[in-house]
Amino acid sequence: MTAVVNARGLSKRYGDFHALRDVSFDIEPGSIVGLIGPNGAGKTTTLKSLLGLTRFDGELEVLGMDPRHGRHELMKRVCFIADVGVLPRWLKVKHAIDYIEGVHEGFDRDKAEALLLKTKISPSQKVRQLSKGMVTQLHLALVMAIEVDLLVLDEPTLGLDILYRKSFYERLLNDYFDHGTSIVISTHQVEEIESLLTHLIFIDEGEIVLSCSMEELPGMYSEVLVSPENIEQALKYSPIHSREILGKRSMIFEDVSADMLGNFGEVHTPSVADLFVAKMQKG
């Protein structure tokens, strides 16, 4: 099966600053990929590269196309939701729907209107009459109603309350997962997307520090709550992260047998958030 995204040796510099350093990864059809990293790690540069919004060195194919050339054709099959939805303040909601329907052949007007019915947004309202959160809701409704092969989300729920964020991610899973659309999500709200993901990419200082499927995680990483009497023995297996919890020590191990670690306490797979902290603070 041909990969939706095939990246090999992506590099990008801004003067002396290396935004990306020899980054390589694949995104398979129908996968939901979490692109996770601290501020300045290279997430946005990676997304801009996929969308043809920045120049880069290396090889990159998105849906069989080089995003540096023929971006117009590429964007017929790709949608992008940025962390800030920019819409003209004078524009009425119903006219925004009319416009998107006129310029994008994959737009489903009925779906957009159905999504807006779940909000407090009126078709007759102008953008300037909407709160920041409502503008985000409008932007999401417009973009989510476009049928594409690749959906790129950069902090899509920034500024939304927790109820709408939960509703958005549930709708995202239900609307897209069975349709073969691949999704890339970059967000700081790791806990909210963990249950959605099929694949995980951690990036730091422009380099990939972890790239694997969610199914591979249990065989690669283990977390153990170690009793005080077992700490010295457990440390011999070089945990990549350790923290105190209620008089015990939680340790995360990489490529250490779960059977061996079971001698020190109960073994389970770390959450994506805890694993992210461990990988960022390693060493």
Side-chain angles (χ1 to χ4, degrees):
M1 188 176 294
T2 304
V4 172
V5 174
N6 185 284
R8 292 294 178 269
L10 294 190
S11 297
K12 175 69 176 180
R13 292 181 59 176
Y14 297 97
D16 293 332
F17 176 68
H18 290 263
L20 295 177
R21 302 170 183 263
D22 196 29
V23 167
S24 298
F25 61 90
D26 294 322
I27 295 176
E28 301 300 327
S31 58
I32 302 180
V33 181
L35 179 63
I36 315 295
N39 292 331
K43 301 187 300 298
T44 298
T45 302
T46 300
L47 298 184
K48 285 183 175 181
S49 298
L50 298 181
L51 298 165
L53 294 175
T54 188
R55 307 294 294 181
F56 54 83
D57 296 319
E59 298 179 7
L60 177 61
E61 279 195 353
V62 180
L63 298 168
M65 293 176 271
D66 186 332
R68 291 169 291 193
H69 310 289
R71 183 172 180 270
H72 176 71
E73 288 300 316
L74 177 65
M75 294 310 294
K76 290 180 180 179
R77 300 173 60 191
V78 178
C79 261
F80 174 49
I81 299 179
D83 56 348
V84 178
V86 180
L87 295 168
R89 291 177 55 78
W90 49 264
L91 189 67
K92 286 188 176 181
V93 172
K94 60 184 178 182
H95 293 154
I97 296 174
D98 291 341
Y99 174 77
I100 300 298
E101 185 178 33
V103 300
H104 208 299
E105 59 188 32
F107 181 71
D108 184 338
R109 186 186 186 98
D110 292 338
K111 183 176 181 180
E113 291 176 341
L115 292 171
L116 288 174
L117 283 175
K118 299 177 182 179
T119 72
K120 296 181 180 180
I121 299 172
S122 166
S124 61
Q125 284 182 292
K126 293 184 177 181
V127 171
R128 66 167 173 259
Q129 297 174 304
L130 305 178
S131 67
K132 181 180 179 181
M134 292 168 77
V135 172
T136 301
Q137 290 176 340
L138 172 57
H139 189 220
L140 291 176
L142 293 173
V143 176
M144 294 282 287
I146 300 174
E147 186 171 338
V148 291
D149 297 311
L150 176 62
L151 183 61
V152 179
L153 311 176
D154 187 7
E155 296 288 354
T157 58
L158 194 66
L160 298 180
D161 63 62
I162 189 170
L163 292 177
Y164 195 86
R165 295 202 305 269
K166 182 176 177 60
S167 172
F168 167 76
Y169 284 122
E170 288 177 350
R171 190 164 61 245
L172 180 72
L173 188 62
N174 292 331
D175 289 354
Y176 282 90
F177 193 58
D178 291 335
H179 297 170
T181 299
S182 298
I183 304 173
V184 180
I185 309 175
S186 177
T187 180
H188 288 89
Q189 295 160 342
V190 181
E191 295 89 347
E192 294 185 359
I193 68 168
E194 179 171 355
S195 62
L196 305 179
L197 301 180
T198 64
H199 292 75
L200 192 61
I201 297 176
F202 288 166
I203 187 170
D204 188 32
E205 297 183 349
E207 298 181 326
I208 301 293
V209 297
L210 175 66
S211 179
C212 69
S213 71
M214 293 297 290
E215 293 179 348
E216 291 176 301
L217 281 185
M220 298 170 62
Y221 297 96
S222 301
E223 184 171 14
V224 186
L225 193 61
V226 182
S227 300
E229 63 272 16
N230 292 326
I231 288 177
E232 186 175 344
Q233 282 293 324
L235 287 172
K236 294 180 180 180
Y237 292 88
S238 303
I240 63 172
H241 189 254
S242 177
R243 60 193 172 108
E244 296 290 338
I245 299 180
L246 300 175
K248 295 185 178 181
R249 189 174 296 186
S250 174
M251 297 183 184
I252 295 178
F253 298 85
E254 182 175 1
D255 294 329
V256 180
S257 165
D259 291 337
M260 177 66 69
L261 295 175
N263 295 320
F264 309 131
E266 183 178 350
V267 180
H268 62 274
T269 303
S271 68
V272 170
D274 287 342
L275 181 58
F276 173 71
V277 171
K279 296 294 286 186
M280 293 305 106
Q281 295 183 351
K282 184 177 180 180

